[in-house]
Amino acid sequence: MEDRIQLLGLDAAALERFVTQDLGESRFRAKQIREWLNRGADIDGMTNLSAPLRARLKAVAVANPVRVLEGFKSKLDETEKLLYALEDGNLIEGVVMRYHHGDTLCVSTQVGCRMGCAFCASTLDGRVRDLTAGEILGQVAAANRHIRAQDPSRRIHNIVLMGSGEPLDNYDNVVRFLRLVNAEDGLNISLRNVSLSTCGLVPRMYDFANEGLPVTLSLSLHAPNDVIRRQIMPVANAYPYGEVLQACRNYVEKTGRRVIFEYALIRNLNSDVKHAEELARRLRGLQCHVNLIPLNDVKERHLEAPSRQAVEAFLKRLELKNISATVRREMGADIEGACGQLRRRVLADRDRPGKP
Ligand code: SAH
């Protein structure tokens, strides 16, 4: 792997140490470099540094280890899917969703994923590697630069860790990223505007509750009980349903923030009103909200969404039982918005004979 330093992954103290000790430059230079990093600039673009200094910097460091290769705009809404390249040639993807209150970016935390959920495209080829904190932050900086080029008033306001990978399976880098993105001299994004989605790695959920980070926790539940959950999520074999909910209760108690449950509705599996009844019973008394997601069909898996009427009936039943719930608005349906789909298609196209 690339061994140049990822400047974006350094906090204020580490960047200052690097600039003053390794480069022998003044602290003021560290401040200038930080300003460029926040704007997503590369080293060549740091025009208030001298050319020799830029050359020295380039020999040992990269500014942003993430580059936008291509953007794919939805014709249905203002969603844009981004394909990024990493320094080692790996590809990852992200989505920018434009809402009236600002732009939301979906970021990845690993190349691929090893959790094995049956409906998810990210996990089909397993985990390739973890992303560094600088690479997770790099997605935000690169996306900012990309959307600003379209409209200078735009910037990423909200972040969801819902791209490829399991954030709590790359715990240290993810926590470092959260502190970096929140830093006053960095992108200064409030952690109240950040959501982290996990498939439910229970011990790490307890650790995360103790970090003192006011991040919204989303839990990928997708079932009303363990029998069904184990059919689609291997992680359910390691951590039983009751323990996952207990870890969620702990998160609510520690952080004072409600937990969001994600529930992908899958035809003939978890989408009957009796499942809604059972789910409501399990969640009673928990400060939460349920996000219903009609499954994004993944053709490799032969799983599909239920009818629109079934989705409505499921929602109605939860509401009747006083569980706060919404159906997630489908965005970017035409641009392979679901996790891992774009990267897979690009990799498949690359491998096809006759392609460069
Ligand atoms: N590993 C984390 C975050 C990544 S996925 C997690 O499991 O939560 C973000 C969300 O998209 C998860 O809730 C995941 O279960 C869901 N998801 C993945 N593939 C999907 C599909 N084909 N249709 C609907 N939701 C899907």
Side-chain angles (χ1 to χ4, degrees):
M1 229 196 103
E2 171 70 52
D3 52 9
R4 282 184 297 172
I5 293 172
Q6 296 172 358
L7 297 180
L8 207 56
L10 303 180
D11 63 18
L15 181 64
E16 194 175 301
R17 258 197 320 275
F18 168 72
V19 170
T20 55
Q21 293 172 15
D22 297 6
L23 296 178
E25 294 284 333
S26 68
R27 288 170 55 190
F28 177 66
R29 292 274 175 248
K31 199 167 160 281
Q32 287 180 314
I33 293 173
R34 170 68 70 202
E35 279 163 10
W36 286 116
L37 291 174
N38 288 343
R39 280 190 248 163
D42 47 30
I43 293 173
D44 283 330
M46 300 183 177
T47 47
N48 55 4
L49 306 183
S50 70
L53 176 55
R54 273 183 270 153
R56 276 204 294 143
L57 204 50
K58 268 169 72 174
V60 292
V62 281
N64 190 346
V66 180
R67 220 159 25 91
V68 173
L69 273 187
E70 215 176 330
F72 301 84
K73 278 205 175 146
S74 171
K75 292 183 186 68
L76 309 174
D77 51 49
E78 291 197 88
T79 303
E80 182 170 4
K81 186 110 198 189
L82 301 179
L83 183 69
Y84 308 99
L86 305 178
E87 293 280 304
D88 64 359
N90 270 306
L91 299 179
I92 52 172
E93 56 192 280
V95 192
V96 186
M97 290 154 284
R98 199 170 180 179
Y99 298 103
H100 31 268
H101 55 272
D103 285 85
T104 295
L105 181 69
C106 177
V107 302
S108 296
T109 54
Q110 296 175 316
V111 182
C113 182
R114 59 175 178 159
M115 293 299 129
C117 298
F119 44 80
C120 182
S122 295
T123 200
L124 286 169
D125 299 317
R127 186 193 66 159
V128 178
R129 69 171 174 86
D130 286 339
L131 297 183
T132 63
E135 285 169 333
I136 306 173
L137 189 62
Q139 297 167 54
V140 186
N144 258 332
R145 185 172 163 174
H146 184 80
I147 59 175
R148 274 207 189 121
Q150 299 172 19
D151 173 352
S153 71
R154 286 179 73 183
R155 75 180 177 91
I156 303 297
H157 271 268
N158 305 288
I159 296 173
V160 294
L161 284 82
M162 292 189 184
S164 293
E166 166 50 47
L168 297 186
D169 188 39
N170 184 14
Y171 188 90
D172 293 343
N173 284 314
V174 165
V175 169
R176 278 191 55 208
F177 155 74
L178 291 170
R179 297 196 200 282
L180 285 168
V181 80
N182 180 232
E184 263 177 37
D185 73 325
L187 296 183
N188 202 4
I189 293 180
S190 164
L191 293 183
R192 296 186 182 280
N193 299 344
V194 177
S195 295
L196 179 147
S197 180
T198 178
C199 64
L201 299 180
V202 167
R204 292 315 211 171
M205 289 170 68
Y206 282 97
D207 293 340
F208 193 60
N210 287 333
E211 296 285 351
L213 302 168
V215 167
T216 300
L217 186 73
S218 286
L219 193 288
S220 297
L221 196 56
H222 302 324
N225 58 50
D226 261 335
V227 174
I228 295 178
R229 199 160 188 262
R230 286 183 186 138
Q231 288 178 42
I232 46 176
M233 299 181 74
V235 71
N237 293 302
Y239 305 112
Y241 208 87
E243 287 181 20
V244 174
L245 293 189
Q246 196 50 40
C248 290
R249 267 185 216 101
N250 175 66
Y251 195 84
V252 172
E253 279 162 25
K254 287 271 162 64
T255 64
R257 303 181 67 77
R258 69 177 185 175
V259 168
I260 310 287
F261 289 106
E262 287 159 273
Y263 195 107
L265 290 162
I266 307 173
R267 187 184 291 260
N268 298 331
L269 185 80
N270 65 1
S271 52
D272 197 275
V273 284
K274 72 169 189 259
H275 299 130
E277 290 270 350
E278 192 178 1
L279 180 65
R281 254 194 327 274
R282 298 300 297 256
L283 299 185
R284 192 174 299 148
L286 217 164
Q287 207 179 310
C288 69
H289 178 83
V290 177
N291 229 335
L292 298 172
I293 317 158
L295 189 81
N296 253 310
D297 300 353
V298 176
K299 57 180 187 304
E300 292 92 336
R301 295 296 198 184
H302 309 293
L303 294 171
E304 51 186 42
S307 68
R308 190 178 284 259
Q309 294 90 309
V311 172
E312 282 305 313
F314 198 98
L315 173 69
K316 286 268 149 46
R317 189 57 62 101
L318 287 183
E319 285 172 344
L320 197 67
K321 300 286 173 184
N322 292 317
I323 301 289
S324 151
T326 39
V327 176
R328 185 184 289 172
R329 193 151 60 97
E330 222 182 302
M331 295 182 83
D334 57 333
I335 49 166
E336 298 167 288
C339 297
Q341 289 182 352
L342 174 65
R343 169 174 170 266
R344 280 187 65 74
R345 183 179 57 71
V346 173
L347 289 176
D349 282 355
R350 260 192 190 175
D351 293 344
R352 208 175 292 150
K355 284 267 169 175

